[in-house]
Amino acid sequence: MRTFIPVILLIVLSSACSNGAYNSDEAIERGDVVVQNGVENPGPFIEFVKNVQDKNEATLRITGYTKEGDPIFLDLEYDRNIFAFSHDNSHDQYGGNDRGVTTDTCTKLEQSETPNDEIGFYLKGCSKETEHPLLELSKEQWEER
């Protein structure tokens, strides 16, 4: 019993401190591309695009954050033919009734210059939506590949 109480106390304190947060440092450590005041860790996205161009299977997670710091996940899976897309905002405390996971399948990954002189990437040819915006890279980030 004496060892049981400290273990319970440790579990309670550690869960209270973490609050289930998935911060940008942890996301980058796990290989996510982070979109928060610009794009951090763009390497995995550039590698994903290269795999798509080479017709190799690939997966990717893009993690964005609400202004309160809650994570929103975009998961992509490419199987040499189709993109499986998932948008998960279930961790958004202020997301209202629209919180949850939505999925779609798309046929194309396209890029175009944006009005703010960046390169925007979009999934198009989707079954449920006309397109899914993914992220915008600065020309310098894209050219560093």
Side-chain angles (χ1 to χ4, degrees), residues 48 52 55 75-87 102-110 122-134:
F48 180 83
V52 169
K55 298 281 187 200
D75 289 307
L76 305 169
E77 191 172 318
Y78 177 68
D79 74 358
R80 297 186 208 161
N81 241 350
I82 299 288
F83 295 89
F85 171 83
S86 170
H87 177 269
T102 58
T103 60
D104 203 352
T105 56
C106 306
T107 58
K108 295 183 237 172
L109 175 64
E110 292 187 5
Y122 311 87
L123 285 180
K124 295 192 174 188
C126 304
S127 63
K128 295 180 184 174
E129 299 283 332
T130 56
E131 70 178 41
H132 296 285
L134 299 176

Side-chain angles (χ1 to χ4, degrees), residues 14-118:
S14 66
S15 65
C17 292
S18 72
N19 230 0
Y22 187 71
N23 66 40
S24 61
D25 291 336
E26 183 179 354
I28 289 170
E29 189 175 302
R30 290 187 182 190
D32 297 9
V33 176
V34 172
V35 179
Q36 179 180 9
N37 301 322
V39 176
E40 299 175 53
N41 196 32
F45 181 78
I46 292 167
E47 185 66 25
F48 180 83
V49 172
K50 182 183 180 312
N51 280 320
V52 169
Q53 291 169 341
D54 293 343
K55 298 281 187 200
N56 295 324
E57 293 180 355
T59 60
L60 177 73
R61 172 169 273 183
I62 300 170
T63 302
Y65 292 90
T66 65
K67 65 182 179 183
E68 296 84 17
D70 298 330
I72 295 178
F73 304 108
L74 300 181
D75 289 307
L76 305 169
E77 191 172 318
Y78 177 68
D79 74 358
R80 297 186 208 161
N81 241 350
I82 299 288
F83 295 89
F85 171 83
S86 170
H87 177 269
D88 178 357
N89 66 351
S90 61
H91 302 279
D92 182 358
Q93 292 181 36
Y94 301 100
N97 293 333
D98 293 333
R99 290 185 342 171
V101 179
T102 58
T103 60
D104 203 352
T105 56
C106 306
T107 58
K108 295 183 237 172
L109 175 64
E110 292 187 5
Q111 67 187 60
S112 62
E113 194 166 316
T114 67
N116 55 348
D117 207 30
E118 293 186 322

